[in-house]
């Protein structure tokens, strides 16, 4: 359970410099009459008066409601839900995943619809905030760039003030990872986008503020590092590996973020997950008895070749910039210890569905898994690139679906027999509300790697 005391959320929080006791209650009913757990947590100045409560002893597969109280002030009532116990026979999981909500680009018209779905949780794959400064040409220009403790806190205060986002948090538990914009565009490990000797201090502050603003069962960071990779079991049905694609990666290779691959890209010492996380993931996959093994991670894993005139371009911030590391991972998935690998990705503001190939350059090679890429909640895909993106699909036969014009989320329904993914698109983000529709649906069947149209 999470909350934060911030009467002035976009200008320093507005709290006195004192720690504050916060009462919490968790009940079996929305009216909070049947309270099953309660206590007092401390909102500390050191952590921006955020409150994290880890309630144990709850029943599996059960919906609970909760509320925080400080003095005369009561929070709205939130709803949450427990997962099936690890290993328990589980017939159904329903969740949605989303990414990328640049507030400058438009309204978050998807969230009121997300609230109406019947989900066990929401999975967010990063770019929850954008750190950038104002672009006056945009619909809702940002304040100045976030780069220190107050700046990042105020940015979360701004983003979390959105009523639709608040309702989505009040409706479901969320599983979250980060991508780059929680800190700095396209940063890699300790390398910022623009040279900055104090970058690790900036990163440490951004990681702390990320921790302050998320309902994560992690200890608060102490220093420049924060380990966020972790996994969840959903009964015997699924194991979800939440991966960190930013903190441990080698710097992007070659000259441009989007460009031809140069020799440096082939260096096997380069890594996207880092050695420790990679080993942890491989061991976790080897030990997993789950029917579906889910890699929830920020950036597109499939090869996406973009032919342009005489050359072929790649997005080198994605796994295409880390080919030897991708080959190691796909080889591991191909060994088949973990059944039914599903990779979930975001970051790029387009939708995509594809087969993960043992060798992307050989259309006859083994399919080792499926990838679903979610479009953004609001971040725009550069309009000038839409035609190039659509034309590039033909050069990538393992990509079965690609769409760059729409915003929304992906809803997944998982059973022991199949994985279904519905791509849900709003009509637009330039007005405060919009209808939504299911634009495309895809299925993976148990034991048959690869996607097919539903
Ligand atoms: Fe993004």
């Amino acid at each position: 359970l999470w909350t934060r005391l911030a009467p002035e959320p976009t200008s320093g929080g507005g709290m006195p410099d004192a720690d504050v006791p916060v009462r919490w209650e968790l009940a079996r009913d929305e009216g909070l009459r049947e309270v099953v757990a309660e206590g007092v947590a401390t909102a500390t100045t050191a952590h921006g008066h955020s409150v994290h409560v880890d309630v144990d002893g709850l029943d599996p597969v059960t919906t609970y409601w909760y509320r925080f109280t400080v003095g005369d002030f009561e929070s709205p009532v939130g709803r949450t839900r427990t997962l099936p116990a690890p290993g328990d026979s589980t017939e159904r999981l329903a969740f949605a995943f989303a990414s990328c909500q640049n507030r400058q680009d438009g309204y978050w018209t998807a969230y009121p619809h997300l609230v109406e779905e019947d989900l066990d949780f929401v999975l967010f794959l990063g770019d929850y905030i954008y750190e950038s400064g104002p672009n006056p040409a945009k619909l809702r220009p940002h304040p100045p760039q976030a780069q220190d403790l107050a700046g990042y806190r105020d940015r979360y205060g701004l983003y979390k003030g959105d009523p639709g986002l608040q309702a989505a948090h009040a409706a479901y538990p969320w599983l979250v990872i980060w991508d780059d914009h929680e800190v700095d565009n396209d940063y890699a490990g300790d390398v910022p986008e623009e040279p900055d000797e104090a970058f690790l201090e900036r990163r440490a502050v951004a990681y702390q503020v990320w921790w302050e603003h998320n309902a994560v069962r992690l200890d608060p960071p102490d220093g420049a590092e924060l380990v966020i990779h972790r996994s969840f079991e959903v009964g015997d049905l699924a194991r979800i590996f939440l991966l960190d694609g930013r903190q441990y990666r080698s710097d992007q290779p070659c000259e441009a973020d989007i460009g031809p691959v140069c020799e440096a890209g082939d260096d096997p010492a380069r890594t996207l997950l880092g050695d420790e996380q990679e080993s942890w993931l491989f061991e976790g996959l080897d030990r997993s008895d789950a029917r579906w093994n889910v890699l929830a991670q920020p950036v597109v894993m499939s090869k996406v070749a973009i032919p342009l005139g005489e050359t072929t371009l790649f997005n080198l911030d994605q796994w295409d910039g880390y080919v030897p590391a991708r080959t190691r991972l796909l080889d591991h998935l191909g060994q088949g210890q973990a059944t039914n690998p599903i990779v979930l990705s975001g970051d790029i503001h387009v939708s995509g569905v594809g087969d993960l190939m043992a060798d992307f350059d050989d259309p006859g090679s083994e399919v080792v898994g499926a990838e679903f890429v979610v479009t953004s909640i609001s971040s725009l895909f550069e309009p000038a690139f839409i035609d190039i993106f659509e034309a590039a699909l033909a050069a990538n036969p393992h990509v079965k679906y690609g769409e760059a014009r729409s915003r929304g989320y992906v809803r997944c329904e998982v059973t022991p027999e199949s994985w279904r993914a519905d791509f849900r698109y709003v009509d637009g983000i330039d007005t405060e509300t919009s209808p939504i529709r299911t634009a495309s649906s895809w299925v993976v069947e148990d034991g048959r790697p690869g996607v097919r149209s539903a």
Side-chain angles (χ1 to χ4, degrees), residues 99-102 126-130 179-181 185 346-349 376 379-380:
S99 76
C100 295
Q101 46 189 16
N102 191 334
D127 291 351
Y128 185 98
I129 61 158
Y130 279 67
D179 193 25
D180 53 337
H181 286 288
N185 181 44
D347 165 60
I348 196 62
H349 318 161
S376 56
S379 308
L380 292 179

Side-chain angles (χ1 to χ4, degrees), residues 19 24 26 36 48 57 68 73 100 157 179 194 210 215 224 253 258 286 288 353-355 367 372 374 393 396 438 446:
D19 295 351
W24 60 269
L26 181 114
V36 295
F68 295 96
F73 186 82
C100 295
D179 193 25
E194 304 292 340
W210 178 90
I258 296 179
D286 291 348
S288 174
V353 176
D355 290 340
V367 177
F372 296 103
V374 68
L393 293 175
N396 297 276
T438 298
D446 173 39

Side-chain angles (χ1 to χ4, degrees), residues 365-380:
S365 82
E366 188 193 358
V367 177
V368 302
E371 179 170 22
F372 296 103
V373 183
V374 68
T375 187
S376 56
I377 290 290
S378 63
S379 308
L380 292 179

Side-chain angles (χ1 to χ4, degrees), residues 159 248 387:
Y159 274 53
Y248 313 109
D387 290 346

Side-chain angles (χ1 to χ4, degrees), residues 82-251:
T82 51
L83 294 173
D88 274 9
S89 175
T90 300
E91 292 299 313
R92 180 181 182 269
L93 164 68
F95 72 99
F97 69 105
S99 76
C100 295
Q101 46 189 16
N102 191 334
R103 191 180 180 280
Q104 294 197 114
D105 283 350
Y107 296 102
W108 299 337
T109 52
Y111 281 127
H113 301 289
L114 190 80
V115 169
E116 297 300 317
E117 309 273 10
D118 177 18
L119 306 175
D120 296 302
F121 57 79
V122 171
L123 172 61
F124 200 88
L125 297 181
D127 291 351
Y128 185 98
I129 61 158
Y130 279 67
E131 84 293 2
S132 53
N135 179 340
K138 299 276 190 178
L139 193 64
R140 302 195 283 178
H142 271 155
Q145 175 176 236
Q147 47 195 351
D148 58 12
L149 187 68
Y152 284 110
R153 281 178 178 161
D154 286 352
R155 188 56 53 95
Y156 279 94
L158 176 66
Y159 274 53
K160 280 185 167 285
D162 183 83
L165 179 62
Q166 289 182 354
H169 279 291
Y172 309 110
W174 284 42
L175 307 181
V176 291
I177 55 171
W178 58 39
D179 193 25
D180 53 337
H181 286 288
E182 281 84 351
V183 180
D184 175 41
N185 181 44
D186 281 355
Y187 86 93
D190 58 3
V191 182
E193 184 179 32
E194 304 292 340
D196 173 8
E197 276 177 23
F199 179 66
L200 276 185
E201 287 160 45
R202 180 183 179 192
R203 196 187 80 172
V205 162
Y207 284 2
Q208 177 187 325
V209 176
W210 178 90
W211 178 88
E212 289 173 357
H213 289 83
N214 280 292
V216 285
R217 197 181 284 114
L218 301 170
D219 291 333
D222 178 17
E225 286 157 30
L226 177 59
V227 176
I228 68 160
H229 59 273
R230 57 213 192 274
S231 72
F232 289 86
E233 283 177 75
V234 182
D236 64 353
L237 185 61
R239 185 164 195 124
I240 302 171
F241 297 89
L242 297 180
L243 304 182
D244 179 346
R246 284 290 160 190
Q247 186 171 192
Y248 313 109
R249 68 156 75 189
S250 312
D251 196 12

